[in-house]
Structure formats: C-alpha cells, structure tokens
Amino acid sequence: MTWGTADLTALAGHYSENGYVLVKGLLSREEAAAYRQCAHDALATLDDDENATWDSAARITAGTPTRLQHLHDVQFHAAAFSRLLTDQRFTRIAAAVLGGPNVQLHHTKLFVKPPENGSPFPPHQDHPFFPHTYHRVGAAIFHLDDAPEEKGCVRIVPGSHRQGPLEHVEDGGYHLPDVSFDATVPLPAEAGDVLFFSYLTVHASGVNLSGKARTTWLVQFRDPADPPVIRAHDHSRGQGMMLAGVDPTGRRTG
C-alpha cells in the first residue's frame, strides 16, 4: 500500500491524540505468512527453550503457568527482517509519528505466544526500560498472523501517553499494579497489520487461549536527536542503525 501525504498526516494525528495507530494491511497476508515462517525457522535454530514470561504476568493468569518464546535482533538471524527494517512502507509511517524525517533503530524482538497457554503482559509503559530525554520513542508491532482477542492481542489505554512517565513496580518486569487489565482496550489485528504506539502509551496483552500460535515482531525506534537518559539494551546489536534519514548528532549508539 502506498501512503500519500494526507494519509500520513491522518495517521500521525491519530497517533498524537491517542498514543497509537493501527495500520491495516501494511504487509500483504502473503508477505506476513512468509515472515512468520522465517521467524519460526529462526527460533527453531536456537539451542535453548527459554520461557520469557514475566513473573508479573501471574497477576493476570491467577498463577496458571504460561509460556512465551522470544528472540532479540532477529535481523541478525534472517536477512528478510533486515530488509523489512528499511522498507519505506514502515519507515515513512515511523517518521510521520515521530514528527521528523530521521528514524533510528533502538532494538527488535520477536515474540511467539504458543497455543493454549501463551503468556500475557501486564499493563506497562516501555519508558522505564530505556528512558529518553524528549520521549520521541515509538514502537511498531508487526502482526505476522491473525491476532484476535482470544489469541492474546495487544491492549491499549488510549490517551495514556499524555500522562507522561508513570511510576512502575520493577519486580517481575516493569508493570503498573494500579492499572487494571480490564481498563485496557483490546486491539485485534490481522496478519499484515502493524500497530504503532508511543513508548509512553500504557499497553498490555492477554493470554493466547486459541489453538494456534500468535507471532509478532516488535521494532522499537526513536528520533536520533533524542538522547537516552541511561544506557540500556546495550546487548541489542543493531542499536543506532539508521532506518530513514540521517543521524544529525553523529551518535552511533544510545
């Protein structure tokens, strides 16, 4: 799909007002299926079977065990994801929501919620994990298969980004114990849809109770002129890569 200036302005306006925008059909269903297969092939090469579930997820599942697979920096495992990082369908929207032409990679992470017991995430902001000075940091979740509510789709508190950074509990993974899971609004998506949101937007996701895996790819990006408050995610090998435009600061990594 080609996005004109008016389209990008409308998407950026929705993002500014609500803290997120769900872009339908950024990838075709066929493209999403190919990326999904590539993602699962990459996970199959790993030697470990780590369960990446946050301890704080137990407050949603009432203690019922769940599982989550993840992989940092999948673009270092499969070149297809390197190409997707600089795909103009993605970068033009990323630039629009940041409000400028320059888009820099912070990190990526692949998530797979297995069937029947795929782990949820409690309400949280991404800000406490890697705070930045001017908060010009966003995320894009590529849906590589369908994500209805029963598969544990992403949930949002619309407009929560306007509250600024909130005080989180760090134990068990940064979370907001005073924000009810029921206060979040589900955003079901289809394969090929991409959800953009601010790192200040409160979000969560539910348990995958379906019979199929839910596969997403998270890309965290920023304005390169927004300096980090602390060094974080130094293990992310691609941090500092320019996805669009230039880095006017000359800083290579955060």
Side-chain angles (χ1 to χ4, degrees), residues 104 222 228 231 239-240 247 250-254:
Q104 187 178 58
R222 66 185 175 197
R231 293 192 66 88
Q239 191 175 126
D247 180 354
R251 185 186 66 239
R252 295 188 179 183
T253 60

Side-chain angles (χ1 to χ4, degrees), residues 151-243:
K151 286 181 74 174
C153 68
V154 180
R155 305 170 68 97
I156 291 285
V157 179
S160 53
H161 65 304
R162 294 194 295 271
Q163 301 176 68
L166 301 175
E167 191 69 30
H168 286 63
V169 173
E170 183 175 358
D171 186 42
Y174 284 109
H175 62 284
L176 295 164
D178 295 332
V179 178
S180 167
F181 184 81
D182 292 335
T184 60
V185 177
L187 292 177
E190 299 175 297
D193 295 349
V194 180
L195 174 64
F196 292 80
F197 59 95
S198 166
Y199 88 150
L200 291 175
T201 302
V202 176
H203 59 288
S205 67
V207 181
N208 181 9
L209 300 173
S210 77
K212 297 181 180 179
R214 195 210 75 169
T215 311
T216 56
W217 187 42
L218 170 69
V219 179
Q220 297 274 4
F221 57 91
R222 66 185 175 197
D223 180 341
D226 187 0
V229 176
I230 60 173
R231 293 192 66 88
H233 273 262
D234 287 351
H235 57 277
S236 296
R237 294 158 60 198
Q239 191 175 126
M241 174 184 175
M242 292 306 299
L243 308 183

Side-chain angles (χ1 to χ4, degrees), residues 9-124:
T9 299
L11 293 175
H14 190 284
Y15 181 96
S16 177
E17 176 67 21
N18 297 284
Y20 77 93
V21 63
L22 179 62
V23 179
K24 302 293 293 181
L26 190 146
L27 302 178
S28 70
R29 293 189 67 87
E30 292 75 19
E31 287 177 300
Y35 283 115
R36 183 189 191 278
Q37 184 62 55
C38 186
H40 283 255
D41 288 347
L43 281 168
T45 67
L46 302 182
D47 294 331
D48 60 70
D49 189 29
E50 176 190 2
N51 183 0
T53 303
W54 291 4
D55 290 342
S56 55
R59 64 192 290 253
I60 298 173
T61 66
T64 301
T66 56
R67 292 196 58 78
L68 179 70
Q69 292 177 283
H70 76 169
L71 176 60
H72 284 274
D73 307 324
V74 69
Q75 69 272 19
F76 284 89
H77 296 256
F81 288 96
S82 298
R83 292 189 290 271
L84 185 52
L85 279 173
T86 57
D87 190 312
Q88 288 192 2
R89 290 174 295 178
F90 160 59
T91 59
R92 291 187 71 206
I93 298 174
V97 300
L98 287 180
N102 305 321
V103 181
Q104 187 178 58
L105 179 65
H106 192 269
H107 69 276
T108 77
K109 191 183 295 184
L110 178 69
F111 289 104
V112 175
K113 292 188 180 188
E116 300 179 356
N117 69 341
S119 299
F121 284 91
H124 66 284

